[in-house]
Amino acid sequence: MSKKLSSTFYQNDTAIVAQNLLGKKLIRVLPNGKILSGIIVEVEAYLGIKDKACHTYAGKKTRRTQTMFMRGGHSYVYMIYGMYNCFNVVTRDEGVPEAVLIRALEPIDGIDEMKKFRNTTKLHNLCSGPGKLCDALKIDRNLDKHSLTQSPLWIEDIGIQVPNREIIKKPRIGVDYAGSHARWPLRFYIKNNPYISKV
DNA sequence: TTGCCGATTACCT
DNA sequence: GGTAATCGGCAAC
C-alpha cells in the first residue's frame, strides 16, 4: 500500500523532512508514459539563510534560487558544472528558502530505461549520486518549480520505516567552501545500503 | 560584458 | 591519487 506524500509532509523542519524521506519512493513518468522509480537512500539538508553551504545563505534571492522560496513541496532543479542536474525538494513554508538534496536512489522501476540513459549496466552505479539519478530519471530544469503533488514527478510512502539507528549522519559532500558549516551533520543515508554515492 | 567557479562525474595514472 | 569536461549563475566592472 503506497500513498503520495502531500505538501504538508514537506512543510516541516528541513533536517526532519530529510530523514523522513529515506525509504520513500521517487516516481518519474516519462513523456512516453514509461515509469521510472527508486527508493531514496541518501539525502542532504540545506538550511537556508543561516547555512553557508546553501544557495540562499544570507537570504540571497536570484533567478535561480527563487524556487527555494516557494512553499514546501515543490522541486528545485539546478544545473551544476555545466553538465549535471541536481534534484531537491523544497521544504518549510513560502518565504523560508530551505531544501533537501536527493543524493542517491535504489533503482526499482524502469531499470532497463535507466541503464540506457546512464550508458551503464551496473545497478549500483545507476542512481548513486545527485547528477547520476537526474540522468537516470531524466530530471532536468524543465521540472524546476514542479509541484510534487502530481505527475510527472512525485514521492510516495510505500510503508518502509527506516529505524533511527539505521540512519547515518555525516557532513555533507562537496561543500568545503562553507567553512565550519561544512561539518554540520546534515547528510543522511541508510546504514549499509549499497546504493549510496560515497562511503 | 567579463571572468571566476560550482551541492559532479568519468576517466586517467 | 589527480583532473578535464562544460556552461549557467553570479558579482564586479
Side-chain angles (χ1 to χ4, degrees):
Chain A
M1 156 111 180
S2 65
K3 130 181 142 217
K4 191 178 295 188
L5 298 180
S6 69
S7 60
T8 56
F9 173 91
Y10 304 99
Q11 293 159 15
N12 208 331
D13 179 274
T14 302
I16 300 291
V17 174
Q19 292 170 80
N20 287 343
L21 280 169
L22 295 175
K24 300 296 190 290
K25 189 179 187 184
L26 175 63
I27 299 164
R28 158 73 163 140
V29 180
L30 295 179
N32 67 10
K34 280 220 168 72
I35 290 181
L36 311 176
S37 77
I39 294 172
I40 298 170
V41 298
E42 178 184 350
V43 297
E44 283 178 0
Y46 285 85
L47 304 186
I49 63 176
K50 60 180 178 290
D51 179 1
K52 286 183 182 172
C54 188
H55 292 158
T56 54
Y57 175 61
K60 187 162 70 176
K61 194 170 192 175
T62 63
R63 178 145 84 175
R64 176 176 66 159
T65 65
Q66 65 182 352
T67 304
M68 288 186 68
F69 288 81
M70 296 175 79
R71 196 158 56 104
H74 290 85
S75 67
Y76 172 42
V77 183
Y78 65 90
M79 171 166 278
I80 187 68
Y81 294 105
M83 61 190 100
Y84 299 109
N85 293 292
C86 287
F87 168 63
N88 300 250
V89 169
V90 177
T91 59
R92 302 199 48 164
D93 301 316
E94 183 173 359
V96 184
E98 305 189 5
V100 176
L101 170 68
I102 308 301
R103 284 194 59 90
L105 308 172
E106 173 184 345
I108 300 292
D109 298 305
I111 288 174
D112 288 342
E113 211 73 13
M114 295 188 206
K115 286 178 175 173
K116 201 164 61 183
F117 295 151
R118 287 273 300 124
N119 195 27
T120 180
T121 57
K122 295 174 185 164
L123 199 56
H124 69 269
N125 193 33
L126 283 184
C127 300
S128 52
K132 295 178 185 181
L133 71 88
C134 282
D135 276 349
L137 270 61
K138 277 263 182 292
I139 296 173
D140 60 26
R141 283 171 297 168
N142 290 321
L143 286 168
D144 186 43
K145 298 184 176 65
H146 168 72
S147 171
L148 293 167
T149 56
Q150 57 187 331
S151 189
L153 184 66
W154 70 92
I155 301 175
E156 287 186 0
D157 184 343
I158 57 172
I160 295 177
Q161 183 66 40
V162 181
N164 192 52
R165 67 176 180 281
E166 289 183 15
I167 299 179
I168 306 296
K169 305 167 180 68
K170 287 281 205 280
R172 293 168 292 183
I173 304 280
V175 294
D176 289 345
Y177 58 85
S180 64
H181 295 189
R183 295 194 289 276
W184 288 355
L186 294 175
R187 176 185 179 219
F188 307 102
Y189 60 89
I190 299 176
K191 185 178 182 179
N192 294 329
N193 189 281
Y195 299 100
I196 65 170
S197 62
K198 298 182 179 179
V199 179

